[in-house]
Amino acid sequence: MEHRLVRAVEEALGWDGPAPLETEFARGSISDRQVVERLLTPSRLLDMVMRRSLANPQFRLFKGGEEMHPDAYLNRQVTPRGQAIPMADMRRVGSLLREGATLVLDQSNVFDPTMEVACRAMQWWSREHVQANVYLTTNDASGFDLHWDDHDVLIMQLAGEKQWEVRGASRPVPMFRDAERNNTPSEEIVWTGTMRAGDVMHIPRGYWHAATRVGHGSGHSTHVTFGFAKRTAVSWLTWLADWSRQEEVFRHDLDRWASPDEQQDQRLALTAAASQLIDARDPAEFLRLREQEAPPGRHVPFLDIFGPLEAVACVSEFPPVITKDGGTVVVAAAGKKLTFAAKALPGLRLLLSGHPVRLDEAARLVGAEAEVLAKILVEEELCASVTHELFSGYTGLAMSAGS
C-alpha cells in the first residue's frame, strides 16, 4: 500500500523501511505539510468526540497534570426508554480547554476513516499492530509526567507546538508485565526541544519522555502517537505454550508425589519435548503465521440489497501473501487460504494492493473477471466495499490503484 504518510515519515527520519523501530531515537520534519493537515485537525478531533458515545479510559481529560474524574466532562444522556448513554459534555469540555487542559482520545482509528487507513498503512509497512492515540493540549496546561511506554511510538505534531524532554532507557526493553519494576528515570538526556506542526519523532520502547505546554502561554498543541505493539521473544514462548497442547507429554499432570527418580524422568522427557517444539516452530514461523492468521479489520458489510458492488479495498490487517504455484495462485490472509486459477494473478494483485479499486477501472486494466474476483474477496472478507466514508480516508493520502 503506497501511502503518503509512510513515505513522509521515512523521509523525515532518514529511514529506508521500518527496521529502526525500537533500535534508535530519531526526529525530523515532514516537508509534505498537506499530509499533516489531512490526517486530523483539532476541530475534527472535537467533532469526533462530540458525535460518539465515549467512556473513560478511552476518552480522558487532564488538568494540572492530574487525570480528572469522568463526571467532570461526561454525562449520561437518557433515552425516552430510560437507557443511559455516556456522551461528552461539550460545554464542560470547551470550558476546560479554554482554561487549559489535555484531552486524550485513544484508538482514534476506531472512529475516523482517515486514521483507520493511516494505521492500516503503518501496519502493512511495519508488520506490527498499530493504533493512533490523539492528544490535544491547550494554553499553559501540563502534559504527562516523565514516563515510559511498553511499545515503540511515532509521534507526529499535527498543529501548534509542545515542549518535550526525552531520556534514555533505565532498563533495557522493559515490558508491561516484567520481572522487576522500572520506576527510576534515566539521567541520560537524549533530546529536549519544541515539536512544531509537521515535526515527527520516534521514541523506542522504554525511553523516558514528558511533554508540556507550561510556559508557552495561550495556544494549543495537537499530536498523534502511533503505537507499534511489536512481538517479543516472550510472545513467541507464549505461542509455543499453546502449541504444546498438541503433545501428550505436556498434557500430563506434574507428579509431585512421585519418587525422585520418576520426577527426574518426567523432567528429562519434558525437556526433550520442549527442545523438539522449539526446533519445529521458530520465531520466523511465529511472525509469519501471526500475520496470516490475523482477522480482517472492522468494515461495513456489503449488502447487495443496497445496490451493486462498485469499488473495493483490501482490509486485511497485514499484506496478503500471494503465491503462484504452477497453474494456481494461493492467497493467504485474514486466517484464510484461497486458491484461484493462475490467470487471476493480475486481478488479485490489483484488488489486494491496499488501495481503493473501482471495478469498472479494474475491468479495463485486467479484464472482466475482476468483478467476479472482487465479489469472492468481499465474501471472504479480505476486501470490503468502499463506502463514501471509507473512501474519504484514502483521499489525498493513498492513490487509487491504476491511477
Side-chain angles (χ1 to χ4, degrees):
M1 181 193 298
E2 287 292 331
H3 198 281
R4 288 173 65 188
L5 172 64
V6 173
R7 189 184 308 119
V9 167
E10 286 188 332
E11 291 176 353
L13 299 181
W15 289 2
D16 183 18
L21 284 171
E22 182 185 7
T23 62
E24 61 182 47
F25 171 81
R27 53 179 291 270
S29 186
I30 292 175
S31 58
D32 188 352
R33 293 303 175 87
Q34 289 183 342
V35 172
V36 179
E37 295 170 2
R38 176 66 186 83
L39 274 181
L40 188 67
T41 63
S43 59
R44 268 181 55 209
L45 170 62
L46 292 176
D47 188 82
M48 197 188 314
V49 166
M50 179 188 70
R51 298 183 187 280
R52 288 160 177 82
S53 175
L54 296 171
N56 183 280
Q58 185 172 33
F59 176 54
R60 293 165 288 159
L61 262 81
F62 294 77
K63 190 172 178 59
E66 299 291 331
E67 183 172 359
M68 304 185 69
H69 192 282
D71 287 349
Y73 54 89
L74 292 175
N75 60 27
R76 295 190 175 273
Q77 295 189 2
V78 180
T79 70
R81 295 189 177 185
Q83 299 166 317
I85 301 174
M87 300 286 289
D89 185 321
M90 298 308 292
R91 285 194 181 88
R92 295 181 189 174
V93 169
S95 177
L96 290 167
L97 292 176
R98 289 186 191 95
E99 296 170 4
T102 292
L103 179 155
V104 182
L105 180 63
D106 287 348
Q107 286 190 298
S108 62
N109 48 293
V110 172
F111 305 117
D112 181 73
T114 302
M115 284 298 181
E116 174 195 335
V117 173
C119 280
R120 185 173 297 127
M122 287 286 191
Q123 288 183 174
W124 282 36
W125 172 68
S126 67
R127 302 297 202 272
E128 305 291 349
H129 285 290
V130 180
Q131 75 175 50
N133 300 340
V134 183
Y135 301 80
L136 168 62
T137 301
T138 58
N139 297 330
D140 268 330
S142 60
F144 298 123
D145 292 335
L146 204 60
H147 68 284
W148 58 272
D149 294 320
D150 63 351
H151 52 275
D152 303 308
V153 296
L154 278 174
I155 297 163
M156 182 178 296
Q157 189 74 22
L158 300 177
E161 59 183 38
K162 203 168 194 178
Q163 183 74 24
W164 285 78
E165 177 182 308
V166 181
R167 301 189 184 189
S170 51
R171 172 174 169 77
V173 289
M175 304 182 70
F176 176 69
R177 291 181 58 202
D178 209 333
E180 60 184 69
R181 293 183 180 275
N182 183 39
N183 294 334
T184 304
S186 167
E187 296 184 1
E188 175 198 6
I189 304 295
V190 175
W191 179 73
T192 59
T194 300
M195 292 279 284
R196 296 179 174 86
D199 289 348
V200 62
M201 175 168 55
H202 168 243
I203 300 180
R205 167 161 57 112
Y207 276 44
W208 293 81
H209 53 278
T212 184
R213 276 194 53 83
V214 171
H216 281 247
S218 63
H220 72 278
S221 163
T222 303
H223 77 264
V224 58
T225 295
F226 293 100
F228 295 77
K230 298 184 72 174
R231 301 301 91 188
T232 67
V234 172
S235 309
W236 172 57
L237 290 174
T238 302
W239 179 74
L240 285 177
D242 289 335
W243 278 107
S244 70
R245 294 177 174 83
Q246 290 192 342
E247 303 298 328
E248 180 183 339
V249 66
F250 292 114
R251 300 198 304 270
H252 282 285
D253 297 338
L254 296 176
D255 195 348
R256 70 170 69 238
W257 307 115
S259 67
D261 288 343
E262 290 172 331
Q263 289 183 344
Q264 173 71 353
D265 289 342
Q266 186 179 46
R267 185 185 70 82
L268 293 174
L270 290 172
T271 300
S275 179
Q276 292 176 358
L277 182 61
I278 290 172
D279 290 340
R281 302 193 179 278
D282 62 17
E285 182 187 10
F286 162 59
L287 293 174
R288 179 179 61 82
L289 291 179
R290 171 179 169 268
E291 290 182 27
Q292 294 182 10
E293 294 173 357
R298 298 168 69 245
H299 58 277
V300 175
F302 171 68
L303 301 173
D304 56 10
I305 57 175
F306 298 147
L309 186 64
E310 295 180 343
V312 300
C314 183
V315 292
S316 62
E317 296 282 63
F318 301 103
V321 177
I322 304 174
T323 307
K324 190 175 184 298
D325 184 12
T328 62
V329 176
V330 177
V331 175
K336 298 180 180 181
K337 278 191 175 183
L338 308 178
T339 302
F340 301 87
K343 66 179 182 180
L345 182 58
L348 291 170
R349 284 177 173 163
L350 177 66
L351 297 169
L352 298 175
S353 66
H355 302 289
V357 181
R358 287 192 57 86
L359 298 190
D360 55 0
E361 181 68 6
R364 185 184 68 81
L365 292 172
V366 299
E369 68 272 10
E371 183 175 353
V372 176
L373 288 175
K375 289 180 178 178
I376 294 172
L377 295 174
V378 168
E379 183 177 344
E380 296 293 340
E381 295 188 289
L382 272 65
C383 287
S385 174
V386 177
T387 62
H388 174 78
E389 291 77 14
L390 177 57
F391 187 77
S392 71
Y394 293 93
T395 304
L397 292 172
M399 295 186 301
S400 296
S403 61

